[in-house]
């Protein structure tokens, strides 16, 4: 009898201690207890991958952006197509362009080994790999908010609708960012992710042949490897220090040397708030680094799946 009563008390106490988190609240310490080795394991693979190919840091940063802008930071970009959905990989902004999926697989394997199980989500891996890439290429280090869970579906149409194309005007870019809960400062400072990485000819052809707010020598040099027809896949660095995360991107905009039309839209030299931010960041790399880190956290907070929503995928390319 006494045994039964204490068992019941015990059950009540245990039940009261199980807290099911319902709010979409992320936390920097999410994996501290369950797997303190998770973040060092991610950084170590990112470091190896960048050593092997410096561009991969840019590619990993862009994967997190393209993940977050399509139904939130939920790892949906990593899903391969299935019979029940066509995923995001074949959407126009992603096809023949986004890369780094093999590195994400390597990270997932290393993290699951370090954690002795699948506890770290693919969405969180993207957020941490983006931060580590920025840091390892000379940019700011910052605490990544964690606890995102992974989506169980994906949509090619949602990717086409939500990712901004390089031919967007300033007002289209701003509306796109605002639709994702981000503001002008986020737009300007996050666009400086183009301080690293490459773009294909097809992404900047219209700019170098038809835009008038472009430095003529810069345009001529870009045309050399990007003819009016053909050579769609030929690449060119997005700024002149493509392996260094620095504020040269903004200095280039002041000289009308933005490679993408969307880049130069941020600076027209006619006194807009966007112009003022470009000018400030071109002169002050500390404020650029501080604001970039802050805006990365804002972007990383877009509609995460938390609590019992979504899942922690075993394989980042497939739902469980
Ligand atoms: C503001 C709107 C943006 C537009 C229109 C845009 C567009 C593009 C385009 C067209 C490319 C070249 C793709 C190719 O030709 O294969 C590119 C590359 C890149 N983007 Fe953006 N982007 C934007 C914002 C961002 C943001 C917010 C980030 C990250 C925070 C980002 C990170 C990158 C990186 C790192 C690359 C180089 C990737 C590599 O070398 O693999 N972009 N972007
Ligand atoms: C560009 O590269 C992709 C593979 O990444 C290939 O499928 C496509 O045919 C190439 N396009 C051109 C014009 O060479
Ligand atoms: C994914 O599924 C959920 C619930 O079934 C649904 O609300 C959501 O719209 C779907 N998202 C996509 C991208 O299809
Ligand atoms: C430049 O503009 C002209 C006229 O609008 C258009 O026919 C041509 O295709 C454009 N060129 C590029 C490379 O976008
Ligand atoms: C700045 O210049 C661009 C074109 O050069 C124009 O479209 C825009 O309206 C101008 N903005 C202001 C505030 O003058």
């Amino acid at each position: 009898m006494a045994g039964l009563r204490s068992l019941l008390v015990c059950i009540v106490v245990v039940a009261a201690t199980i807290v099911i988190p319902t709010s979409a609240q992320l936390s920097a310490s999410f994996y501290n207890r369950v797997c303190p080795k998770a973040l060092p394991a991610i950084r170590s693979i990112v470091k190896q991958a960048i050593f092997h190919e410096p561009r991969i840091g840019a590619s990993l940063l862009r994967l997190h952006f393209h993940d977050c802008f399509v139904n939130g930071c939920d790892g949906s970009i990593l899903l391969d197509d299935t019979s029940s959905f066509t995923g995001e990989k074949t959407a126009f902004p992603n096809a023949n362009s986004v890369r780094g999926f093999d590195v994400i697989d390597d990270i997932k394997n290393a993290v699951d080994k370090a954690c002795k199980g699948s506890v770290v989500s693919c969405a969180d891996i993207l957020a941490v790999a983006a931060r580590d890439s920025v840091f390892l290429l000379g940019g700011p280090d910052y605490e990544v908010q964690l606890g995102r869970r992974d989506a169980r579906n994906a949509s090619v149409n949602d990717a086409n609708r939500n990712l901004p194309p390089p031919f967007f005007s300033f007002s289209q870019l701003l509306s796109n960012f605002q639709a994702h809960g981000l503001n002008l400062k986020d737009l300007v400072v996050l666009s400086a992710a183009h301080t690293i990485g490459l773009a294909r000819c097809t992404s900047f052809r219209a700019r170098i042949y038809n835009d008038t707010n472009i430095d003529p020598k810069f345009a001529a040099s870009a045309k050399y490897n990007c003819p009016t027809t053909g050579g769609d896949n030929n690449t060119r660095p997005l700024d002149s220090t493509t392996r260094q995360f620095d504020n040269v991107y903004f200095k280039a905009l002041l000289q009308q040397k933005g490679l993408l039309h969307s880049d130069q839209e941020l600076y027209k030299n006619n006194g807009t708030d966007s112009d003022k931010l470009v000018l400030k960041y071109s002169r002050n790399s500390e404020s650029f680094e501080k604001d970039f880190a802050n805006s990365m956290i804002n972007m990383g907070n877009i509609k995460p799946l938390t609590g019992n929503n979504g899942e922690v995928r075993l394989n980042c390319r497939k739902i469980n």
Side-chain angles (χ1 to χ4, degrees):
M1 200 51 201
L4 182 59
R5 184 177 299 172
S6 60
L7 179 66
L8 283 174
V9 167
C10 192
I11 288 170
V12 170
V13 169
V14 168
T17 350
I18 298 170
V19 184
I20 297 165
T22 48
S23 73
Q25 197 67 53
L26 302 178
S27 141
S29 60
F30 192 82
Y31 297 112
N32 281 10
R33 258 199 238 181
V34 62
C35 184
K37 291 180 181 161
L39 301 200
I42 298 175
R43 183 159 291 192
S44 148
I45 304 288
V46 174
K47 202 171 184 173
Q48 282 174 34
I50 290 177
F51 183 77
H52 186 70
E53 188 211 11
R55 183 188 179 188
I56 206 72
S59 307
L60 293 172
L61 173 56
R62 187 167 185 236
L63 273 185
H64 180 47
F65 162 50
H66 281 208
D67 184 33
C68 291
F69 266 51
V70 184
N71 299 319
C73 313
D74 61 359
S76 55
I77 193 172
L78 304 174
L79 290 173
D80 288 338
D81 295 352
T82 69
S83 50
S84 57
F85 62 77
T86 302
E88 299 169 15
K89 292 180 179 180
T90 52
F92 288 109
N94 290 336
N96 301 329
S97 183
V98 285
R99 51 204 296 285
F101 298 110
D102 295 346
V103 177
I104 298 299
D105 293 339
D106 291 348
I107 294 174
K108 177 65 177 165
N109 289 333
V111 164
D112 286 0
K113 208 169 162 195
C115 300
K116 299 189 166 64
S118 175
V119 293
V120 179
S121 68
C122 299
D124 278 347
I125 287 174
L126 286 174
V128 175
R131 186 273 313 269
D132 289 347
S133 297
V134 167
F135 172 67
L136 292 166
L137 293 170
D141 207 354
Y142 55 91
E143 277 201 319
V144 180
Q145 297 295 303
L146 298 164
R148 299 169 190 82
R149 289 164 64 86
D150 298 323
R152 293 183 44 81
N153 61 12
S155 151
V156 67
N157 293 328
D158 288 353
N160 280 322
R161 267 193 291 269
N162 283 285
L163 293 168
F167 51 81
F168 261 12
S169 67
F170 173 76
S171 66
Q172 290 174 310
L173 292 167
L174 184 57
S175 305
N176 176 281
F177 270 59
Q178 286 172 339
H180 292 98
L182 300 176
N183 63 23
L184 172 68
K185 193 188 219 182
D186 297 314
L187 167 64
V188 173
V189 81
L190 290 176
S191 292
H194 295 167
T195 177
I196 52 176
L198 311 179
R200 289 165 306 148
C201 168
T202 186
S203 302
F204 58 82
R205 181 182 284 122
R207 165 144 177 82
I208 61 176
Y209 286 98
N210 278 352
D211 280 5
T212 51
N213 60 345
I214 187 165
D215 177 274
K217 282 189 190 141
F218 176 75
S221 126
K223 285 172 187 172
Y224 189 73
N225 201 28
C226 181
T228 48
T229 53
D232 282 10
N233 286 338
N234 297 352
T235 55
R236 182 175 176 90
L238 280 154
D239 88 352
S240 60
T241 55
T242 183
R243 293 177 178 192
Q244 192 63 31
F245 193 98
D246 58 22
N247 67 344
V248 165
Y249 169 83
F250 292 113
K251 295 180 191 199
L253 296 186
L254 301 184
Q255 304 168 47
Q256 302 197 315
K257 290 179 183 171
L259 183 61
L260 303 180
H261 175 80
S262 53
D263 292 327
Q264 200 62 55
E265 281 298 287
L266 304 177
Y267 186 80
K268 302 253 185 69
N269 194 17
N270 56 6
T272 60
D273 288 345
S274 181
D275 283 355
K276 285 176 193 154
L277 285 167
V278 170
L279 204 57
K280 177 171 92 168
Y281 295 135
S282 74
R283 290 173 176 164
N284 187 338
S285 53
E286 280 96 76
S287 75
F288 163 51
E289 295 211 345
K290 183 171 148 283
D291 291 355
F292 185 86
N294 195 51
S295 288
M296 283 296 285
I297 291 164
N298 295 341
M299 185 174 86
N301 280 333
I302 299 175
K303 284 179 27 194
L305 295 169
T306 57
N308 292 323
N309 296 317
E311 64 184 14
V312 174
R313 256 177 241 152
L314 293 161
N315 174 339
C316 290
R317 295 172 186 261
K318 301 184 189 129
I319 64 170
N320 292 345

